[in-house]
Amino acid sequence: MNHIITNPKFRAYIYGVMVAAGAVALVYGLVNAEQLGVWLALGGAVLGLSNGLALANTPKGKHEA
């Protein structure tokens, strides 16, 4: 279950969407900062991310699965 989504470009896209959606929810008062942190952690766990540095460590070059 380490690599649910193996394509680094798609993982980077999903990370970006999660963070952007969280920011919108925070601005509109749908969640507070503490709740947002929990939801982002849950999303990371569901996607099989090991830590908060996943986006920074996603390879940007050619990928072989």
Side-chain angles (χ1 to χ4, degrees):
M1 185 137 169
N2 260 354
H3 296 90
I4 293 174
I5 299 173
T6 58
N7 185 317
K9 287 183 181 181
F10 188 65
R11 284 195 331 253
Y13 174 77
I14 293 294
Y15 303 155
V17 169
M18 278 180 28
V19 172
V24 170
L26 185 65
V27 167
Y28 282 100
L30 300 174
V31 297
N32 62 35
E34 185 177 323
Q35 292 168 331
L36 178 57
V38 172
W39 280 110
L40 290 177
L42 176 63
V46 168
L47 291 173
L49 311 179
S50 61
N51 61 44
L53 298 176
L55 180 57
N57 292 312
T58 301
K60 304 295 189 260
K62 194 171 188 174
H63 173 71
E64 294 180 23

mmCIF file of all heavy atoms in Angstrom, residues 12-59:
data_model
loop_
_atom_site.group_PDB
_atom_site.id
_atom_site.type_symbol
_atom_site.label_atom_id
_atom_site.label_comp_id
_atom_site.label_asym_id
_atom_site.label_seq_id
_atom_site.Cartn_x
_atom_site.Cartn_y
_atom_site.Cartn_z
ATOM 1 N N ALA A 12 1.532 14.717 -7.674
ATOM 2 C CA ALA A 12 1.742 16.150 -7.473
ATOM 3 C C ALA A 12 0.452 16.927 -7.742
ATOM 4 O O ALA A 12 0.129 17.869 -7.018
ATOM 5 C CB ALA A 12 2.865 16.642 -8.378
ATOM 6 N N TYR A 13 -0.280 16.535 -8.765
ATOM 7 C CA TYR A 13 -1.553 17.183 -9.084
ATOM 8 C C TYR A 13 -2.545 17.006 -7.937
ATOM 9 O O TYR A 13 -3.189 17.958 -7.503
ATOM 10 C CB TYR A 13 -2.110 16.592 -10.382
ATOM 11 C CG TYR A 13 -3.499 17.086 -10.713
ATOM 12 C CD1 TYR A 13 -3.690 18.357 -11.244
ATOM 13 C CD2 TYR A 13 -4.616 16.298 -10.468
ATOM 14 C CE1 TYR A 13 -4.963 18.822 -11.539
ATOM 15 C CE2 TYR A 13 -5.885 16.751 -10.756
ATOM 16 C CZ TYR A 13 -6.054 18.012 -11.294
ATOM 17 O OH TYR A 13 -7.308 18.468 -11.571
ATOM 18 N N ILE A 14 -2.659 15.781 -7.424
ATOM 19 C CA ILE A 14 -3.589 15.505 -6.326
ATOM 20 C C ILE A 14 -3.207 16.307 -5.082
ATOM 21 O O ILE A 14 -4.070 16.873 -4.407
ATOM 22 C CB ILE A 14 -3.621 13.996 -6.002
ATOM 23 C CG1 ILE A 14 -4.225 13.218 -7.165
ATOM 24 C CG2 ILE A 14 -4.382 13.713 -4.711
ATOM 25 C CD1 ILE A 14 -5.689 13.503 -7.426
ATOM 26 N N TYR A 15 -1.912 16.383 -4.766
ATOM 27 C CA TYR A 15 -1.473 17.162 -3.600
ATOM 28 C C TYR A 15 -1.902 18.616 -3.752
ATOM 29 O O TYR A 15 -2.412 19.237 -2.828
ATOM 30 C CB TYR A 15 0.048 17.148 -3.440
ATOM 31 C CG TYR A 15 0.679 15.799 -3.318
ATOM 32 C CD1 TYR A 15 1.999 15.616 -3.677
ATOM 33 C CD2 TYR A 15 -0.026 14.693 -2.835
ATOM 34 C CE1 TYR A 15 2.607 14.385 -3.568
ATOM 35 C CE2 TYR A 15 0.574 13.465 -2.726
ATOM 36 C CZ TYR A 15 1.898 13.315 -3.101
ATOM 37 O OH TYR A 15 2.499 12.107 -2.999
ATOM 38 N N GLY A 16 -1.686 19.167 -4.927
ATOM 39 C CA GLY A 16 -2.044 20.559 -5.176
ATOM 40 C C GLY A 16 -3.532 20.806 -5.043
ATOM 41 O O GLY A 16 -3.961 21.814 -4.476
ATOM 42 N N VAL A 17 -4.332 19.897 -5.566
ATOM 43 C CA VAL A 17 -5.790 20.029 -5.477
ATOM 44 C C VAL A 17 -6.240 19.955 -4.021
ATOM 45 O O VAL A 17 -7.087 20.738 -3.579
ATOM 46 C CB VAL A 17 -6.499 18.954 -6.333
ATOM 47 C CG1 VAL A 17 -7.991 18.908 -6.048
ATOM 48 C CG2 VAL A 17 -6.247 19.216 -7.809
ATOM 49 N N MET A 18 -5.664 19.023 -3.252
ATOM 50 C CA MET A 18 -6.030 18.894 -1.832
ATOM 51 C C MET A 18 -5.740 20.177 -1.064
ATOM 52 O O MET A 18 -6.571 20.658 -0.295
ATOM 53 C CB MET A 18 -5.248 17.742 -1.182
ATOM 54 C CG MET A 18 -5.834 16.391 -1.413
ATOM 55 S SD MET A 18 -4.919 15.010 -0.650
ATOM 56 C CE MET A 18 -4.115 15.703 0.748
ATOM 57 N N VAL A 19 -4.566 20.723 -1.266
ATOM 58 C CA VAL A 19 -4.182 21.934 -0.538
ATOM 59 C C VAL A 19 -5.039 23.122 -0.970
ATOM 60 O O VAL A 19 -5.503 23.902 -0.132
ATOM 61 C CB VAL A 19 -2.676 22.225 -0.736
ATOM 62 C CG1 VAL A 19 -2.298 23.568 -0.171
ATOM 63 C CG2 VAL A 19 -1.853 21.119 -0.078
ATOM 64 N N ALA A 20 -5.280 23.255 -2.274
ATOM 65 C CA ALA A 20 -6.107 24.369 -2.764
ATOM 66 C C ALA A 20 -7.536 24.255 -2.249
ATOM 67 O O ALA A 20 -8.123 25.257 -1.800
ATOM 68 C CB ALA A 20 -6.090 24.392 -4.288
ATOM 69 N N ALA A 21 -8.107 23.072 -2.278
ATOM 70 C CA ALA A 21 -9.467 22.887 -1.777
ATOM 71 C C ALA A 21 -9.531 23.178 -0.280
ATOM 72 O O ALA A 21 -10.490 23.784 0.207
ATOM 73 C CB ALA A 21 -9.947 21.468 -2.060
ATOM 74 N N GLY A 22 -8.496 22.783 0.442
ATOM 75 C CA GLY A 22 -8.443 23.065 1.871
ATOM 76 C C GLY A 22 -8.378 24.546 2.152
ATOM 77 O O GLY A 22 -9.025 25.054 3.074
ATOM 78 N N ALA A 23 -7.600 25.264 1.358
ATOM 79 C CA ALA A 23 -7.491 26.711 1.536
ATOM 80 C C ALA A 23 -8.828 27.401 1.280
ATOM 81 O O ALA A 23 -9.228 28.309 2.023
ATOM 82 C CB ALA A 23 -6.416 27.273 0.609
ATOM 83 N N VAL A 24 -9.531 26.968 0.255
ATOM 84 C CA VAL A 24 -10.851 27.541 -0.044
ATOM 85 C C VAL A 24 -11.817 27.258 1.104
ATOM 86 O O VAL A 24 -12.558 28.149 1.549
ATOM 87 C CB VAL A 24 -11.399 27.003 -1.383
ATOM 88 C CG1 VAL A 24 -12.854 27.383 -1.579
ATOM 89 C CG2 VAL A 24 -10.553 27.517 -2.545
ATOM 90 N N ALA A 25 -11.800 26.024 1.600
ATOM 91 C CA ALA A 25 -12.680 25.671 2.720
ATOM 92 C C ALA A 25 -12.359 26.505 3.956
ATOM 93 O O ALA A 25 -13.261 26.926 4.686
ATOM 94 C CB ALA A 25 -12.544 24.177 3.037
ATOM 95 N N LEU A 26 -11.090 26.779 4.176
ATOM 96 C CA LEU A 26 -10.672 27.597 5.320
ATOM 97 C C LEU A 26 -11.156 29.037 5.163
ATOM 98 O O LEU A 26 -11.725 29.618 6.088
ATOM 99 C CB LEU A 26 -9.153 27.551 5.455
ATOM 100 C CG LEU A 26 -8.541 28.243 6.660
ATOM 101 C CD1 LEU A 26 -8.970 27.550 7.948
ATOM 102 C CD2 LEU A 26 -7.028 28.236 6.552
ATOM 103 N N VAL A 27 -10.987 29.606 3.983
ATOM 104 C CA VAL A 27 -11.389 30.990 3.732
ATOM 105 C C VAL A 27 -12.897 31.172 3.887
ATOM 106 O O VAL A 27 -13.352 32.165 4.442
ATOM 107 C CB VAL A 27 -10.931 31.439 2.323
ATOM 108 C CG1 VAL A 27 -11.585 32.739 1.913
ATOM 109 C CG2 VAL A 27 -9.411 31.584 2.285
ATOM 110 N N TYR A 28 -13.665 30.207 3.426
ATOM 111 C CA TYR A 28 -15.118 30.315 3.509
ATOM 112 C C TYR A 28 -15.683 29.840 4.852
ATOM 113 O O TYR A 28 -16.893 29.784 5.033
ATOM 114 C CB TYR A 28 -15.786 29.560 2.358
ATOM 115 C CG TYR A 28 -15.726 30.343 1.070
ATOM 116 C CD1 TYR A 28 -14.768 30.065 0.097
ATOM 117 C CD2 TYR A 28 -16.615 31.385 0.834
ATOM 118 C CE1 TYR A 28 -14.705 30.794 -1.073
ATOM 119 C CE2 TYR A 28 -16.568 32.117 -0.335
ATOM 120 C CZ TYR A 28 -15.608 31.817 -1.283
ATOM 121 O OH TYR A 28 -15.539 32.550 -2.445
ATOM 122 N N GLY A 29 -14.809 29.510 5.778
ATOM 123 C CA GLY A 29 -15.244 29.146 7.117
ATOM 124 C C GLY A 29 -15.863 27.762 7.229
ATOM 125 O O GLY A 29 -16.558 27.476 8.200
ATOM 126 N N LEU A 30 -15.619 26.914 6.249
ATOM 127 C CA LEU A 30 -16.155 25.556 6.313
ATOM 128 C C LEU A 30 -15.387 24.699 7.315
ATOM 129 O O LEU A 30 -15.927 23.744 7.857
ATOM 130 C CB LEU A 30 -16.124 24.905 4.932
ATOM 131 C CG LEU A 30 -16.928 25.634 3.850
ATOM 132 C CD1 LEU A 30 -16.710 24.986 2.494
ATOM 133 C CD2 LEU A 30 -18.405 25.640 4.208
ATOM 134 N N VAL A 31 -14.111 25.024 7.508
ATOM 135 C CA VAL A 31 -13.260 24.341 8.492
ATOM 136 C C VAL A 31 -12.385 25.389 9.164
ATOM 137 O O VAL A 31 -12.183 26.486 8.627
ATOM 138 C CB VAL A 31 -12.358 23.268 7.841
ATOM 139 C CG1 VAL A 31 -13.159 22.155 7.217
ATOM 140 C CG2 VAL A 31 -11.423 23.876 6.815
ATOM 141 N N ASN A 32 -11.859 25.049 10.348
ATOM 142 C CA ASN A 32 -10.868 25.931 10.955
ATOM 143 C C ASN A 32 -9.485 25.342 10.680
ATOM 144 O O ASN A 32 -9.358 24.267 10.085
ATOM 145 C CB ASN A 32 -11.137 26.129 12.456
ATOM 146 C CG ASN A 32 -11.056 24.856 13.251
ATOM 147 O OD1 ASN A 32 -10.258 23.973 12.959
ATOM 148 N ND2 ASN A 32 -11.897 24.740 14.274
ATOM 149 N N ALA A 33 -8.430 26.031 11.092
ATOM 150 C CA ALA A 33 -7.069 25.605 10.772
ATOM 151 C C ALA A 33 -6.760 24.223 11.337
ATOM 152 O O ALA A 33 -6.108 23.403 10.679
ATOM 153 C CB ALA A 33 -6.069 26.627 11.278
ATOM 154 N N GLU A 34 -7.236 23.947 12.540
ATOM 155 C CA GLU A 34 -6.989 22.638 13.159
ATOM 156 C C GLU A 34 -7.680 21.527 12.370
ATOM 157 O O GLU A 34 -7.093 20.479 12.093
ATOM 158 C CB GLU A 34 -7.493 22.643 14.594
ATOM 159 C CG GLU A 34 -7.187 21.374 15.353
ATOM 160 C CD GLU A 34 -7.644 21.466 16.796
ATOM 161 O OE1 GLU A 34 -7.535 22.546 17.403
ATOM 162 O OE2 GLU A 34 -8.123 20.437 17.302
ATOM 163 N N GLN A 35 -8.929 21.765 11.976
ATOM 164 C CA GLN A 35 -9.667 20.767 11.197
ATOM 165 C C GLN A 35 -9.019 20.550 9.836
ATOM 166 O O GLN A 35 -8.943 19.420 9.344
ATOM 167 C CB GLN A 35 -11.116 21.206 11.016
ATOM 168 C CG GLN A 35 -11.913 21.202 12.303
ATOM 169 C CD GLN A 35 -13.244 21.919 12.148
ATOM 170 O OE1 GLN A 35 -13.395 22.832 11.335
ATOM 171 N NE2 GLN A 35 -14.218 21.506 12.950
ATOM 172 N N LEU A 36 -8.547 21.634 9.227
ATOM 173 C CA LEU A 36 -7.906 21.516 7.918
ATOM 174 C C LEU A 36 -6.674 20.624 8.005
ATOM 175 O O LEU A 36 -6.464 19.768 7.138
ATOM 176 C CB LEU A 36 -7.523 22.896 7.377
ATOM 177 C CG LEU A 36 -6.798 22.909 6.028
ATOM 178 C CD1 LEU A 36 -7.621 22.212 4.958
ATOM 179 C CD2 LEU A 36 -6.477 24.340 5.635
ATOM 180 N N GLY A 37 -5.891 20.796 9.056
ATOM 181 C CA GLY A 37 -4.716 19.949 9.236
ATOM 182 C C GLY A 37 -5.084 18.474 9.329
ATOM 183 O O GLY A 37 -4.418 17.614 8.737
ATOM 184 N N VAL A 38 -6.157 18.197 10.037
ATOM 185 C CA VAL A 38 -6.607 16.803 10.175
ATOM 186 C C VAL A 38 -7.080 16.257 8.833
ATOM 187 O O VAL A 38 -6.756 15.129 8.452
ATOM 188 C CB VAL A 38 -7.725 16.696 11.234
ATOM 189 C CG1 VAL A 38 -8.333 15.313 11.249
ATOM 190 C CG2 VAL A 38 -7.176 17.056 12.605
ATOM 191 N N TRP A 39 -7.852 17.040 8.098
ATOM 192 C CA TRP A 39 -8.340 16.582 6.795
ATOM 193 C C TRP A 39 -7.206 16.357 5.801
ATOM 194 O O TRP A 39 -7.230 15.393 5.029
ATOM 195 C CB TRP A 39 -9.365 17.570 6.219
ATOM 196 C CG TRP A 39 -10.721 17.385 6.825
ATOM 197 C CD1 TRP A 39 -11.357 18.243 7.685
ATOM 198 C CD2 TRP A 39 -11.604 16.285 6.652
ATOM 199 N NE1 TRP A 39 -12.577 17.731 8.053
ATOM 200 C CE2 TRP A 39 -12.757 16.524 7.436
ATOM 201 C CE3 TRP A 39 -11.541 15.114 5.919
ATOM 202 C CZ2 TRP A 39 -13.829 15.625 7.484
ATOM 203 C CZ3 TRP A 39 -12.612 14.226 5.977
ATOM 204 C CH2 TRP A 39 -13.727 14.480 6.745
ATOM 205 N N LEU A 40 -6.210 17.256 5.810
ATOM 206 C CA LEU A 40 -5.079 17.066 4.906
ATOM 207 C C LEU A 40 -4.274 15.830 5.292
ATOM 208 O O LEU A 40 -3.791 15.089 4.427
ATOM 209 C CB LEU A 40 -4.194 18.313 4.882
ATOM 210 C CG LEU A 40 -4.810 19.536 4.192
ATOM 211 C CD1 LEU A 40 -3.873 20.731 4.307
ATOM 212 C CD2 LEU A 40 -5.125 19.235 2.738
ATOM 213 N N ALA A 41 -4.124 15.582 6.581
ATOM 214 C CA ALA A 41 -3.426 14.371 7.027
ATOM 215 C C ALA A 41 -4.193 13.121 6.609
ATOM 216 O O ALA A 41 -3.595 12.132 6.167
ATOM 217 C CB ALA A 41 -3.237 14.407 8.538
ATOM 218 N N LEU A 42 -5.518 13.159 6.734
ATOM 219 C CA LEU A 42 -6.333 12.025 6.314
ATOM 220 C C LEU A 42 -6.203 11.794 4.807
ATOM 221 O O LEU A 42 -6.041 10.659 4.352
ATOM 222 C CB LEU A 42 -7.802 12.255 6.676
ATOM 223 C CG LEU A 42 -8.768 11.170 6.202
ATOM 224 C CD1 LEU A 42 -8.448 9.834 6.854
ATOM 225 C CD2 LEU A 42 -10.203 11.588 6.485
ATOM 226 N N GLY A 43 -6.262 12.878 4.042
ATOM 227 C CA GLY A 43 -6.095 12.749 2.590
ATOM 228 C C GLY A 43 -4.747 12.156 2.227
ATOM 229 O O GLY A 43 -4.646 11.309 1.339
ATOM 230 N N GLY A 44 -3.711 12.572 2.943
ATOM 231 C CA GLY A 44 -2.386 12.014 2.702
ATOM 232 C C GLY A 44 -2.325 10.531 3.030
ATOM 233 O O GLY A 44 -1.728 9.746 2.302
ATOM 234 N N ALA A 45 -2.976 10.142 4.109
ATOM 235 C CA ALA A 45 -2.996 8.729 4.483
ATOM 236 C C ALA A 45 -3.756 7.897 3.449
ATOM 237 O O ALA A 45 -3.328 6.807 3.083
ATOM 238 C CB ALA A 45 -3.628 8.573 5.863
ATOM 239 N N VAL A 46 -4.868 8.424 2.971
ATOM 240 C CA VAL A 46 -5.658 7.701 1.972
ATOM 241 C C VAL A 46 -4.878 7.546 0.666
ATOM 242 O O VAL A 46 -4.926 6.502 0.013
ATOM 243 C CB VAL A 46 -7.004 8.422 1.718
ATOM 244 C CG1 VAL A 46 -7.715 7.870 0.497
ATOM 245 C CG2 VAL A 46 -7.881 8.325 2.952
ATOM 246 N N LEU A 47 -4.116 8.572 0.305
ATOM 247 C CA LEU A 47 -3.343 8.520 -0.930
ATOM 248 C C LEU A 47 -2.032 7.758 -0.767
ATOM 249 O O LEU A 47 -1.302 7.584 -1.723
ATOM 250 C CB LEU A 47 -3.043 9.939 -1.431
ATOM 251 C CG LEU A 47 -4.253 10.718 -1.932
ATOM 252 C CD1 LEU A 47 -3.868 12.147 -2.237
ATOM 253 C CD2 LEU A 47 -4.839 10.051 -3.160
ATOM 254 N N GLY A 48 -1.740 7.328 0.446
ATOM 255 C CA GLY A 48 -0.524 6.551 0.659
ATOM 256 C C GLY A 48 0.722 7.392 0.813
ATOM 257 O O GLY A 48 1.821 6.935 0.527
ATOM 258 N N LEU A 49 0.578 8.615 1.265
ATOM 259 C CA LEU A 49 1.730 9.483 1.460
ATOM 260 C C LEU A 49 2.385 9.159 2.793
ATOM 261 O O LEU A 49 1.720 8.872 3.767
ATOM 262 C CB LEU A 49 1.302 10.952 1.459
ATOM 263 C CG LEU A 49 0.403 11.390 0.309
ATOM 264 C CD1 LEU A 49 0.047 12.848 0.457
ATOM 265 C CD2 LEU A 49 1.097 11.150 -1.000
ATOM 266 N N SER A 50 3.695 9.248 2.831
ATOM 267 C CA SER A 50 4.374 8.896 4.068
ATOM 268 C C SER A 50 4.624 10.089 4.969
ATOM 269 O O SER A 50 4.777 9.934 6.167
ATOM 270 C CB SER A 50 5.694 8.192 3.761
ATOM 271 O OG SER A 50 6.533 9.061 3.017
ATOM 272 N N ASN A 51 4.694 11.293 4.409
ATOM 273 C CA ASN A 51 4.934 12.475 5.243
ATOM 274 C C ASN A 51 4.559 13.744 4.491
ATOM 275 O O ASN A 51 4.198 13.705 3.338
ATOM 276 C CB ASN A 51 6.398 12.528 5.697
ATOM 277 C CG ASN A 51 7.357 12.619 4.538
ATOM 278 O OD1 ASN A 51 7.139 13.375 3.603
ATOM 279 N ND2 ASN A 51 8.417 11.854 4.570
ATOM 280 N N GLY A 52 4.671 14.865 5.159
ATOM 281 C CA GLY A 52 4.303 16.155 4.576
ATOM 282 C C GLY A 52 5.253 16.659 3.510
ATOM 283 O O GLY A 52 4.962 17.633 2.832
ATOM 284 N N LEU A 53 6.393 16.004 3.348
ATOM 285 C CA LEU A 53 7.362 16.434 2.344
ATOM 286 C C LEU A 53 7.192 15.708 1.015
ATOM 287 O O LEU A 53 8.034 15.800 0.149
ATOM 288 C CB LEU A 53 8.783 16.200 2.869
ATOM 289 C CG LEU A 53 9.148 16.981 4.123
ATOM 290 C CD1 LEU A 53 10.535 16.579 4.590
ATOM 291 C CD2 LEU A 53 9.094 18.466 3.876
ATOM 292 N N ALA A 54 6.099 15.012 0.867
ATOM 293 C CA ALA A 54 5.906 14.195 -0.328
ATOM 294 C C ALA A 54 5.939 15.009 -1.609
ATOM 295 O O ALA A 54 6.552 14.596 -2.589
ATOM 296 C CB ALA A 54 4.594 13.428 -0.229
ATOM 297 N N LEU A 55 5.296 16.151 -1.635
ATOM 298 C CA LEU A 55 5.274 16.949 -2.856
ATOM 299 C C LEU A 55 6.667 17.434 -3.218
ATOM 300 O O LEU A 55 7.082 17.358 -4.366
ATOM 301 C CB LEU A 55 4.334 18.141 -2.709
ATOM 302 C CG LEU A 55 4.220 19.060 -3.935
ATOM 303 C CD1 LEU A 55 3.780 18.257 -5.157
ATOM 304 C CD2 LEU A 55 3.254 20.179 -3.678
ATOM 305 N N ALA A 56 7.415 17.896 -2.228
ATOM 306 C CA ALA A 56 8.763 18.387 -2.492
ATOM 307 C C ALA A 56 9.673 17.269 -2.991
ATOM 308 O O ALA A 56 10.615 17.528 -3.739
ATOM 309 C CB ALA A 56 9.349 19.003 -1.226
ATOM 310 N N ASN A 57 9.394 16.040 -2.609
ATOM 311 C CA ASN A 57 10.242 14.915 -2.988
ATOM 312 C C ASN A 57 9.696 14.103 -4.149
ATOM 313 O O ASN A 57 10.211 13.037 -4.446
ATOM 314 C CB ASN A 57 10.446 13.998 -1.775
ATOM 315 C CG ASN A 57 11.263 14.680 -0.718
ATOM 316 O OD1 ASN A 57 12.291 15.254 -1.005
ATOM 317 N ND2 ASN A 57 10.794 14.636 0.507
ATOM 318 N N THR A 58 8.662 14.607 -4.801
ATOM 319 C CA THR A 58 8.133 13.924 -5.979
ATOM 320 C C THR A 58 9.058 14.188 -7.156
ATOM 321 O O THR A 58 9.340 15.343 -7.465
ATOM 322 C CB THR A 58 6.716 14.433 -6.313
ATOM 323 O OG1 THR A 58 5.878 14.201 -5.193
ATOM 324 C CG2 THR A 58 6.156 13.741 -7.519
ATOM 325 N N PRO A 59 9.544 13.127 -7.807
ATOM 326 C CA PRO A 59 10.447 13.326 -8.945
ATOM 327 C C PRO A 59 9.786 14.156 -10.032
ATOM 328 O O PRO A 59 8.610 13.979 -10.330
ATOM 329 C CB PRO A 59 10.701 11.906 -9.440
ATOM 330 C CG PRO A 59 10.340 11.005 -8.322
ATOM 331 C CD PRO A 59 9.288 11.716 -7.537
#
